[in-house]
Each structure stands twice: as C-alpha cells, then as structure tokens.
Amino acid sequence: MESPGGFIPPVNAQNVYSQRGSRNPHLMEALRFLGYVQMTREGTRRMRESMEKYNLPEPTFSQEALNGVSVRVVLRNDHQTRKRSTDADVAAFCGVEMWKQLQEHEIQIMGYAFNNEAVQVNEMSRLTGRTWNTTKRDLDKLVNKGLLLFSPPKKLRDPNAHYKIRKNKGDEDDF
C-alpha cells in the first residue's frame, strides 16, 4: 500500500507508532470531532495490532522516491503460520449433506471462518460483496444451522462482536 508524499517530520519509518504528524491537522481534528477517527496514529497502531492478532509479521514502513516521494507499508502474510484448509476440510466439518445445501456465499463465509476461527460482519460483507444487513442475516442463518456461534456485543456497535466456528456441542458455554 502506498501513500503519496513522504513522512511528515518528526515521523519516520522507525518511530511511526510513537510519533504523530498530519499533512492537514485541521482536517484531522474535524474528522476526530465528527467521530470518524478516534485519535492520531490510530491507523498504524490498528494495523500492527491486527497483524499481531493473526500471528502475522509486523507491518514495515519505508519512504521511497520513485516518481515522487511516497510512503509504503507492506503487510506480509506468513503462509507458514497461517492454517489453511481445503473445501473438502470445510465440507467434512459441516457434514457433506449440510455442505451441499449451502449457497456459494455461505461456503465462502464458512471457509473463511474455518481458517480464521472468528469473523465479523464487516469482513464477511467485504468478502462476499453483499450488504452489511444481508451478511448479518447470512451469519445468523449459519448460527441457526449449528455451524457458527455468535459472541454478542458488550455495548452498542461493539467492534469485538463476532461469530466463530462451532467446534463441538459444548462451545456455546464459551461465551
């Protein structure tokens, strides 16, 4: 991923998580006031925490001068640390008869959930290309079919609310 322009002093590739610098501080303050951002440096920290959560390498930042100056961030997917499954693995998990009844978007969701153990409505909406409300209904149907469990939000619009694979009948006690 690239962002046009270089780092804003005093920010550089080594201190990107601890220093802040905005090209347009007035715009950033307005976005914070309107609730679109919570704080400065939020994006870089969130990237690092998300990569950590999935046991992936930390993002790397660099400034490059190709056709102008730009900041580049590289997010690596370490294939050795990620669990991968095939459709056959997911079909065996679901049961072949249940698998045959699933629609294509439900198969996508189950495959992703099987690999990642927990999923959220937003990421499944992006994966399937369906609206947030439709995806929420899709996930709830998979809960009703006994394939997923729902971890309800602790507060309104809780980003930690998620669905996870139901590995066995005792899973509902985990919440």
Side-chain angles (χ1 to χ4, degrees), residues 26-134:
H26 300 294
L27 175 63
M28 287 308 298
E29 180 58 26
L31 291 172
R32 190 192 64 73
F33 179 78
L34 294 170
Y36 287 107
V37 296
Q38 294 176 1
M39 61 182 185
T40 56
R41 301 184 312 268
E42 176 185 17
T44 55
R45 289 179 182 174
R46 196 175 335 152
M47 272 192 282
R48 182 175 59 181
E49 289 168 3
S50 294
M51 297 296 279
E52 231 174 64
K53 177 181 171 184
Y54 291 106
N55 297 318
L56 294 171
E58 190 172 283
T60 55
F61 292 85
S62 62
Q63 183 169 299
E64 299 180 358
L66 297 172
N67 301 324
V69 178
S70 64
V71 172
R72 175 177 282 194
V73 61
V74 177
L75 307 175
R76 290 185 175 77
N77 183 357
D78 184 0
H79 296 286
Q80 273 56 34
T81 61
R82 299 275 308 212
K83 178 180 128 189
R84 298 286 175 203
S85 63
T86 63
D87 281 350
D89 296 329
V90 182
F93 167 79
C94 294
V96 176
E97 289 306 312
M98 174 70 75
W99 177 259
K100 289 178 182 177
Q101 296 173 14
L102 294 178
Q103 296 178 24
E104 184 61 35
H105 61 275
E106 292 173 318
I107 291 171
Q108 281 182 297
I109 291 170
M110 287 306 299
Y112 190 92
F114 192 81
N115 282 327
N116 295 285
E117 294 186 17
V119 298
Q120 295 177 316
V121 179
N122 282 340
E123 64 186 336
M124 293 302 92
S125 176
R126 284 190 298 273
L127 176 76
T128 61
R130 296 162 67 87
T131 66
W132 190 95
N133 289 328
T134 302

